[in-house]
Structures are given as structure tokens and as C-alpha cells.
Amino acid sequence: MLAAASIGQGVRHLLLGRRFNVFVVAAIVGCISAALGGLGARLIGSSTTELAMMASILLLVPGVPSTNAQTDVMDGYPTMGSARAVTVIMIMVFAVTGLWLAEFVLRIHT
């Protein structure tokens, strides 16, 4: 999982440096990291392949923007907080889309 997440972070850094769309990058990195995590789990004979795939995309969780969205709403800036919350939701949707694609490629049925 560590290697899968590390490779995913490298790909993320590379794509964002080339000005790719943040949401598309989340999907690509989610797919690559989850696929590598799933393959690694299969290679060592783990029975928790799905868990390894989910753990390898944790780098995509937007924790700081989530906290900032909550803080903005509580501080009386609901418009800004809502905009940040929508960004957080979109990043998570695209990350899960990448995870789903990796599951499809690896033929994992939960």
C-alpha cells in the first residue's frame, strides 16, 4: 500500500505540475493507486484486496479543504464554505470513480 500510494503521489505531483484538471487527476491517481494496491495485495495472497485498494487512495482525501469549508460556514461565509464543500465532494467522487475503475480492471466483485 505504501508503494502504491507513493507512486500515486508522484503521478499526482507530475500531473498537477503540468496543469491537469484537479478532478481528473484525482480519478487518474485513484485508479493507479488502487490498482497497484490491489495487485500488491493479490501478489502477497491477502484476502483483503478491497481494503488495500481503499487504503492506497487515502492520499486523495481533502482534509484541509473540508475543515476550511466548515470553518467558513461557521464564521458567517456560507457561500465560500459551500463552494469549498462542493470542491471536496467532487474530489471524493472522482477519487471513488478511479477506485471503481481499478476494481473493474482487476475484476474485484464486492
Side-chain angles (χ1 to χ4, degrees), residues 86-100:
V86 168
T87 302
V88 167
I89 291 167
M90 291 300 294
I91 289 173
M92 294 306 297
V93 164
F94 277 84
V96 170
T97 300
L99 175 66
W100 178 79

Side-chain angles (χ1 to χ4, degrees), residues 1-12 25-42 48-61 92 94-96 98-103 106 108:
M1 289 182 297
L2 175 64
S6 298
I7 291 169
Q9 186 69 1
V11 170
R12 181 183 191 186
V25 168
I28 292 169
V29 171
C31 185
I32 291 171
S33 294
L36 291 174
L39 283 173
R42 276 190 180 174
T48 57
T49 304
E50 298 90 357
L51 185 61
M53 293 175 77
M54 286 186 277
S56 64
I57 68 163
L58 285 176
L59 67 118
L60 295 172
V61 174
M92 294 306 297
F94 277 84
V96 170
L99 175 66
W100 178 79
L101 288 171
E103 285 181 349
L106 294 176
I108 294 175

Side-chain angles (χ1 to χ4, degrees), residues 6-21:
S6 298
I7 291 169
Q9 186 69 1
V11 170
R12 181 183 191 186
H13 182 72
L14 178 77
L15 293 177
L16 289 176
R18 294 179 186 225
R19 302 216 182 263
F20 273 69
N21 183 296

